[in-house]
PDB file of all heavy atoms in Angstrom:
ATOM      1  N   SER B 311     -27.885 -10.566  33.668  1.00 98.00           N
ATOM      2  CA  SER B 311     -29.165 -10.587  32.962  1.00 98.00           C
ATOM      3  C   SER B 311     -29.577  -9.187  32.649  1.00 98.00           C
ATOM      4  O   SER B 311     -29.789  -8.410  33.576  1.00 98.00           O
ATOM      5  CB  SER B 311     -30.192 -11.401  33.790  1.00 98.00           C
ATOM      6  OG  SER B 311     -31.373 -11.653  33.014  1.00 98.00           O
ATOM      7  N   ALA B 312     -29.747  -8.870  31.358  1.00 97.00           N
ATOM      8  CA  ALA B 312     -30.087  -7.526  30.949  1.00 97.00           C
ATOM      9  C   ALA B 312     -31.483  -7.463  30.265  1.00 97.00           C
ATOM     10  O   ALA B 312     -31.485  -7.814  29.009  1.00 97.00           O
ATOM     11  CB  ALA B 312     -28.953  -6.968  30.048  1.00 97.00           C
ATOM     12  N   PRO B 313     -32.555  -7.100  30.910  1.00 97.00           N
ATOM     13  CA  PRO B 313     -33.807  -6.994  30.255  1.00 97.00           C
ATOM     14  C   PRO B 313     -33.741  -6.115  29.015  1.00 97.00           C
ATOM     15  O   PRO B 313     -33.065  -5.046  28.990  1.00 97.00           O
ATOM     16  CB  PRO B 313     -34.722  -6.346  31.313  1.00 97.00           C
ATOM     17  CG  PRO B 313     -34.035  -6.732  32.643  1.00 97.00           C
ATOM     18  CD  PRO B 313     -32.531  -6.707  32.322  1.00 97.00           C
ATOM     19  N   MET B 314     -34.467  -6.569  28.017  1.00 96.00           N
ATOM     20  CA  MET B 314     -34.401  -5.853  26.698  1.00 96.00           C
ATOM     21  C   MET B 314     -34.875  -4.408  26.804  1.00 96.00           C
ATOM     22  O   MET B 314     -34.335  -3.556  26.117  1.00 96.00           O
ATOM     23  CB  MET B 314     -35.177  -6.617  25.662  1.00 96.00           C
ATOM     24  CG  MET B 314     -34.636  -7.966  25.363  1.00 96.00           C
ATOM     25  SD  MET B 314     -35.769  -9.110  24.526  1.00 96.00           S
ATOM     26  CE  MET B 314     -36.006  -8.282  23.000  1.00 96.00           C
ATOM     27  N   ASP B 315     -35.904  -4.127  27.599  1.00 95.00           N
ATOM     28  CA  ASP B 315     -36.430  -2.799  27.678  1.00 95.00           C
ATOM     29  C   ASP B 315     -35.482  -1.909  28.508  1.00 95.00           C
ATOM     30  O   ASP B 315     -35.341  -0.695  28.145  1.00 95.00           O
ATOM     31  CB  ASP B 315     -37.843  -2.767  28.263  1.00 95.00           C
ATOM     32  CG  ASP B 315     -37.947  -3.530  29.493  1.00 95.00           C
ATOM     33  OD1 ASP B 315     -37.011  -4.194  29.926  1.00 95.00           O
ATOM     34  OD2 ASP B 315     -39.117  -3.485  30.165  1.00 95.00           O
ATOM     35  N   VAL B 316     -34.835  -2.400  29.494  1.00 96.00           N
ATOM     36  CA  VAL B 316     -33.867  -1.588  30.290  1.00 96.00           C
ATOM     37  C   VAL B 316     -32.712  -1.240  29.373  1.00 96.00           C
ATOM     38  O   VAL B 316     -32.150  -0.109  29.432  1.00 96.00           O
ATOM     39  CB  VAL B 316     -33.406  -2.300  31.521  1.00 96.00           C
ATOM     40  CG1 VAL B 316     -32.365  -1.560  32.253  1.00 96.00           C
ATOM     41  CG2 VAL B 316     -34.578  -2.612  32.446  1.00 96.00           C
ATOM     42  N   GLN B 317     -32.272  -2.169  28.536  1.00 96.00           N
ATOM     43  CA  GLN B 317     -31.071  -1.907  27.612  1.00 96.00           C
ATOM     44  C   GLN B 317     -31.364  -0.760  26.766  1.00 96.00           C
ATOM     45  O   GLN B 317     -30.401   0.007  26.331  1.00 96.00           O
ATOM     46  CB  GLN B 317     -30.838  -3.120  26.752  1.00 96.00           C
ATOM     47  CG  GLN B 317     -30.201  -4.321  27.447  1.00 96.00           C
ATOM     48  CD  GLN B 317     -29.718  -5.358  26.494  1.00 96.00           C
ATOM     49  OE1 GLN B 317     -28.931  -5.119  25.504  1.00 96.00           O
ATOM     50  NE2 GLN B 317     -30.184  -6.592  26.683  1.00 96.00           N
ATOM     51  N   GLN B 318     -32.622  -0.483  26.361  1.00 96.00           N
ATOM     52  CA  GLN B 318     -32.935   0.608  25.387  1.00 96.00           C
ATOM     53  C   GLN B 318     -33.131   1.957  26.044  1.00 96.00           C
ATOM     54  O   GLN B 318     -33.368   2.952  25.395  1.00 96.00           O
ATOM     55  CB  GLN B 318     -34.185   0.197  24.564  1.00 96.00           C
ATOM     56  CG  GLN B 318     -33.988  -0.990  23.738  1.00 96.00           C
ATOM     57  CD  GLN B 318     -32.916  -0.803  22.642  1.00 96.00           C
ATOM     58  OE1 GLN B 318     -32.629   0.274  22.192  1.00 96.00           O
ATOM     59  NE2 GLN B 318     -32.223  -1.861  22.272  1.00 96.00           N
ATOM     60  N   LYS B 319     -33.066   1.984  27.358  1.00 96.00           N
ATOM     61  CA  LYS B 319     -33.270   3.253  28.032  1.00 96.00           C
ATOM     62  C   LYS B 319     -32.034   4.093  28.022  1.00 96.00           C
ATOM     63  O   LYS B 319     -30.923   3.649  27.722  1.00 96.00           O
ATOM     64  CB  LYS B 319     -33.730   3.018  29.508  1.00 96.00           C
ATOM     65  CG  LYS B 319     -35.158   2.440  29.616  1.00 96.00           C
ATOM     66  CD  LYS B 319     -35.535   2.200  31.029  1.00 96.00           C
ATOM     67  CE  LYS B 319     -36.979   1.688  31.083  1.00 96.00           C
ATOM     68  NZ  LYS B 319     -37.462   1.447  32.479  1.00 96.00           N
ATOM     69  N   GLU B 320     -32.165   5.391  28.382  1.00 94.00           N
ATOM     70  CA  GLU B 320     -31.060   6.338  28.361  1.00 94.00           C
ATOM     71  C   GLU B 320     -30.169   6.160  29.641  1.00 94.00           C
ATOM     72  O   GLU B 320     -30.681   6.017  30.699  1.00 94.00           O
ATOM     73  CB  GLU B 320     -31.482   7.810  28.256  1.00 94.00           C
ATOM     74  CG  GLU B 320     -32.212   8.093  26.902  1.00 94.00           C
ATOM     75  CD  GLU B 320     -31.230   7.993  25.750  1.00 94.00           C
ATOM     76  OE1 GLU B 320     -30.049   8.358  25.937  1.00 94.00           O
ATOM     77  OE2 GLU B 320     -31.654   7.656  24.668  1.00 94.00           O
ATOM     78  N   PHE B 321     -28.870   6.254  29.365  1.00 93.00           N
ATOM     79  CA  PHE B 321     -27.911   6.335  30.526  1.00 93.00           C
ATOM     80  C   PHE B 321     -27.280   7.689  30.509  1.00 93.00           C
ATOM     81  O   PHE B 321     -26.590   8.107  29.574  1.00 93.00           O
ATOM     82  CB  PHE B 321     -26.848   5.199  30.328  1.00 93.00           C
ATOM     83  CG  PHE B 321     -25.838   5.072  31.440  1.00 93.00           C
ATOM     84  CD1 PHE B 321     -26.084   4.251  32.516  1.00 93.00           C
ATOM     85  CD2 PHE B 321     -24.721   5.868  31.423  1.00 93.00           C
ATOM     86  CE1 PHE B 321     -25.218   4.222  33.544  1.00 93.00           C
ATOM     87  CE2 PHE B 321     -23.789   5.816  32.457  1.00 93.00           C
ATOM     88  CZ  PHE B 321     -24.028   4.943  33.544  1.00 93.00           C
ATOM     89  N   ASP B 322     -27.418   8.354  31.627  1.00 88.00           N
ATOM     90  CA  ASP B 322     -26.978   9.815  31.658  1.00 88.00           C
ATOM     91  C   ASP B 322     -25.726  10.066  32.356  1.00 88.00           C
ATOM     92  O   ASP B 322     -25.118  11.169  32.147  1.00 88.00           O
ATOM     93  CB  ASP B 322     -28.122  10.590  32.381  1.00 88.00           C
ATOM     94  CG  ASP B 322     -29.422  10.611  31.576  1.00 88.00           C
ATOM     95  OD1 ASP B 322     -29.352  10.554  30.309  1.00 88.00           O
ATOM     96  OD2 ASP B 322     -30.466  10.570  32.217  1.00 88.00           O
ATOM     97  N   ASP B 323     -25.264   9.197  33.149  1.00 78.00           N
ATOM     98  CA  ASP B 323     -23.995   9.391  33.914  1.00 78.00           C
ATOM     99  C   ASP B 323     -22.743   9.354  32.988  1.00 78.00           C
ATOM    100  O   ASP B 323     -22.548   8.387  32.210  1.00 78.00           O
ATOM    101  CB  ASP B 323     -23.868   8.323  34.994  1.00 78.00           C
ATOM    102  CG  ASP B 323     -22.800   8.727  36.017  1.00 78.00           C
ATOM    103  OD1 ASP B 323     -22.007   9.608  35.815  1.00 78.00           O
ATOM    104  OD2 ASP B 323     -22.732   8.025  37.079  1.00 78.00           O
TER     105      ASP B 323
END
Side-chain angles (χ1 to χ4, degrees):
S311 192
M314 294 163 66
D315 50 354
V316 176
Q317 288 189 54
Q318 295 299 330
K319 292 182 178 179
E320 293 295 327
F321 183 90
D322 297 324
D323 192 348

